[in-house]
Amino acid sequence: MWIALGINAGMLVAEAVGGVLTGSLAVLADAGHVLSDVGAIGLALFAASLAARPAGGRMTFGYQRSEILVALVNGVLLVVVAIVIGYAAIGRLGNPPQIDAGGVLGLGLLGLAGNVAATLVLARGERVDVNLEGVVAAGAFVLAGGSSVVDPIVSLVISLLILISSWRLIKEPFDVLMEAAPAGVDVDAAGAAICSEEGVRSVHDLHIWTVTSGFGALAAHVVVSSDCDPGLVRRRLELLLHERFGIDHTTLQMEEEASADLLRVENASPRP
């Protein structure tokens, strides 16, 4: 990951400087996208270092949610970058400046090579960055005698792609901070599965939330029949929640079903 971070950081500097020298907004736009990759890899390294810190004191879950906060900041910054690029691109549509088409083409090819190298290092199996394909196409088009208006058009497309990618970076941290259930976990199905276990009469105060990425938690009050072993039922429920819903952190408060005798109320007052 450190190697991939170095490759992307080099691409970021090259595209930022090259975009200014060539006058290409498309190159600068892709530099903004590369910035998100640098942030994502840096986030992963940051999270790995925090994961080694034990929980303690008031931080009973440790610092695992730090990656969520950093991801949210990264997503918001991407939105700002996309808006700035889009605004600048719209301003250039009416009077597009001349760009160094050869330099743009060279930077695009260099970026493609760096993207392939980073992908191989991380073994992500992702396809080549479509933003860089647009930069290469814009440089080749202008170099062949086409209008330089293609540069702000490509920049608008890149800004839209950045906005789309930022949506996930914002939505997932927002869901975690709002303590939403993990993606793919049906809360109603989990409640029904708990109630279907032998000896369980009902479940209430059921909460399923996400502590951080890949760390789901569940808490519930489970009412069981008076003739069963609450500890055994709890262990069966923990196994059920692990196998069917991938939830390992559970807090189940077992409550014994009240006897009908306790619920009967006698009217002791004399009848008229």
Side-chain angles (χ1 to χ4, degrees), residues 198-199 224-236 254 256:
E198 182 180 356
V224 298
S225 60
S226 57
D227 59 348
C228 72
D229 182 352
L232 179 59
V233 175
R234 177 178 54 80
R235 289 190 291 272
R236 291 204 308 262
M254 312 305 290
E256 187 174 313

Side-chain angles (χ1 to χ4, degrees), residues 111-185:
L112 283 173
N115 181 254
V116 170
T119 299
L120 292 175
V121 168
L122 293 177
R124 295 179 298 181
E126 297 176 356
R127 69 185 304 275
V128 173
D129 191 347
V130 69
N131 299 339
L132 290 167
E133 293 176 344
V135 172
V136 171
F141 180 78
V142 175
L143 198 61
S147 172
S148 58
V149 73
V150 69
D151 186 73
I153 292 175
V154 169
S155 302
L156 278 174
V157 173
I158 293 176
S159 68
L160 178 60
L161 293 175
I162 293 176
L163 275 178
I164 293 173
S165 64
S166 67
W167 168 248
R168 180 182 59 83
L169 288 175
I170 293 176
K171 182 181 182 302
E172 291 183 4
F174 180 79
D175 287 343
V176 172
L177 294 177
M178 294 301 294
E179 298 196 336
V185 174

Side-chain angles (χ1 to χ4, degrees), residues 48-117:
S49 65
L50 285 181
R53 300 182 62 178
R58 296 174 59 216
M59 311 299 289
T60 57
F61 278 110
Y63 296 85
Q64 299 183 64
R65 192 165 278 188
S66 298
E67 65 173 290
I68 299 299
L69 298 176
V70 176
L72 181 61
V73 172
N74 191 18
V76 172
L77 288 177
L78 273 181
V79 172
V80 174
V81 169
I83 292 174
V84 171
I85 292 171
Y87 180 80
I90 292 174
R92 288 192 176 196
L93 286 174
N95 185 26
Q98 291 297 316
I99 63 174
D100 181 356
V104 172
L105 180 60
L107 285 169
L109 293 174
L110 177 64
L112 283 173
N115 181 254
V116 170

